[in-house]
Amino acid sequence: DAGVIQSPRHEVTEMGQEVTLRCKPISGHNSLFWYRQTMMRGLELLIYFNNNVPIDDSGMPEDRFSAKMPNASFSTLKIQPSEPRDSAVYFCASSFSGQANQPQHFGDGTRLSIL
Amino acid sequence: AQKVTQAQTEISVVEKEDVTLDCVYETRDTTYYLFWYKQPPSGELVFLIRRNSFDEQNEISGRYSWNFQKSTSSFNFTITASQVVDSAVYFCALRNSRGGATNKLIFGTGTLLAVQP
């Protein structure tokens, strides 16, 4: 079975550029999560969608970050303009439902470096 | 407030040794869920196990076992006869049962396990 698919795996770009991260959740899962992992802050939830609707975006750092989920099989996380402090590993995860007992299954992550 | 503490930052063992990774959690909820995830050097996060707060039965899966004790708010993870492939960062996580925006998965800071050959 295909897991959560993220692209690209690695992204290196210069500050000020727009960055778009992509995620395809597991088929049949209706909850999708975007996380950021850094050494300093560990794993942080950025935004959470349920049935394509954003439920909690309180973790989005600032207006430079935006996320969309136009349909059940695709989501994007966009950073515009990017800054060096955005360098991190970004994970997408999906779960069968938004219920707390459902485990979240993670993609391989996108390692983002902003120069 | 909810919190997950993994006091062991790094553990190093020699292959075939048993090792226990500690996890202590804090929550005021009576119903909650605990999880363990593995992050190998390749970087992906792999779901290992989920435990409900109302089920204190310990679980064994091959060389892996989990000891859940509500009395001490702990959910420890033991690897028996460790192998080099077990080398990874292991995360313990907590989620309450309330729905909506407050229902976040709270991760501990992780324990780096290095299994030496």
Side-chain angles (χ1 to χ4, degrees), chain A residues 9 33 35 37 43 45 48 55-56 58 91 98-108, chain B residues 33 35 37 39 42-45 47 50 52 91 95-97 100-105 107:
Chain A
R9 287 297 310 274
F33 308 80
Y35 288 86
Q37 185 179 33
L43 277 156
L45 177 67
Y48 153 41
I55 302 300
D56 179 11
S58 60
F91 285 101
Q99 294 181 0
N101 64 343
Q102 293 298 314
Q104 296 175 21
H105 297 273
F106 286 74
D108 290 344
Chain B
Y33 304 91
F35 304 83
Y37 285 85
Q39 187 172 37
S42 47
E44 70 273 23
L45 274 161
F47 164 70
R50 175 197 65 205
N52 307 326
F91 291 94
R95 196 175 187 191
N96 66 47
S97 63
T102 59
N103 194 1
K104 292 184 179 181
L105 186 60
F107 284 90

Side-chain angles (χ1 to χ4, degrees), chain B residues 13-110:
Chain B
V13 299
V14 177
E15 216 172 9
K16 299 185 182 177
E17 284 186 29
D18 298 347
V19 59
T20 295
L21 310 182
D22 297 334
C23 173
V24 174
Y25 62 91
E26 297 176 29
T27 181
R28 293 182 179 178
D29 294 287
T30 55
T31 302
Y32 51 89
Y33 304 91
L34 295 162
F35 304 83
W36 275 95
Y37 285 85
K38 174 182 180 179
Q39 187 172 37
S42 47
E44 70 273 23
L45 274 161
V46 180
F47 164 70
L48 295 178
I49 191 172
R50 175 197 65 205
R51 174 60 68 207
N52 307 326
S53 58
F54 44 87
D55 180 6
E56 288 195 69
Q57 187 173 3
N58 292 328
E59 184 155 342
I60 299 174
S61 176
R63 297 184 297 106
Y64 294 174
S65 61
W66 290 269
N67 184 349
F68 175 36
Q69 292 194 344
K70 287 182 77 169
S71 61
T72 56
S73 297
S74 65
F75 185 41
N76 296 338
F77 174 27
T78 297
I79 302 174
T80 303
S82 59
Q83 299 176 2
V84 173
V85 294
D86 296 327
S87 298
V89 179
Y90 291 87
F91 291 94
C92 181
L94 164 71
R95 196 175 187 191
N96 66 47
S97 63
R98 287 173 274 138
T102 59
N103 194 1
K104 292 184 179 181
L105 186 60
I106 306 298
F107 284 90
T109 51

